[in-house]
Amino acid sequence: QVQLVESGGGLVQPGGSLRLSCAASGSIFSIGAMGWYRQAPGKQRELVAITTSRGSTNYADSVKGRFTISKDNAKNTVYLQMNSLKPEDTAVYYCRADSRLVYWGKGTLVTVSS
């Protein structure tokens, strides 16, 4: 069993930055990969970024060069640094952990607006 808690969402102006955090607890030894997904109003949930247990990363084309995923193994926490934010980045951002099962956080809302 894995529990995920996201934090760091909020309101930011276009061009601004936010850092999201996802703290994992429980059977964290079983996690092979963790990632961030988002769901904008009226749209499907989509992949934003993934990091594996070996440290490799992958990004959606829409965020490449602006967002960075990282992790602190000692704190069992994954981060998403979001820079140069655009209104189209507005969405609920969800943390996901891939183990024998898939676990989701409850999400944190990011609103990019002037």
Side-chain angles (χ1 to χ4, degrees):
Q1 191 78 15
V2 175
Q3 295 81 44
L4 304 172
V5 179
E6 304 105 326
S7 62
L11 176 64
V12 64
Q13 294 185 349
S17 298
L18 283 175
R19 189 178 75 161
L20 306 182
S21 299
C22 175
S25 61
S27 300
I28 57 175
F29 63 88
S30 66
I31 298 174
M34 295 187 67
W36 291 93
Y37 291 69
R38 68 186 182 186
Q39 188 164 19
K43 293 190 174 183
Q44 301 285 338
R45 187 174 299 187
E46 64 177 354
L47 170 71
V48 177
I50 289 177
T51 183
T52 71
S53 60
R54 289 184 169 84
S56 63
T57 59
N58 286 286
Y59 297 90
D61 288 340
S62 60
V63 308
K64 198 170 299 180
R66 299 188 296 121
F67 291 10
T68 302
I69 188 170
S70 62
K71 58 184 176 181
D72 185 336
N73 290 324
K75 295 183 177 181
N76 302 317
T77 300
V78 173
Y79 305 94
L80 184 68
Q81 179 66 47
M82 304 185 294
N83 299 325
S84 302
L85 283 161
K86 306 173 181 179
E88 51 262 45
D89 294 318
T90 296
V92 177
Y93 284 71
Y94 298 91
C95 182
R96 192 179 91 164
D98 293 346
S99 184
R100 186 179 69 85
L101 302 174
V102 174
Y103 299 91
W104 292 92
K106 294 187 179 298
T108 184
L109 177 63
V110 172
T111 302
V112 184
S113 176
S114 59

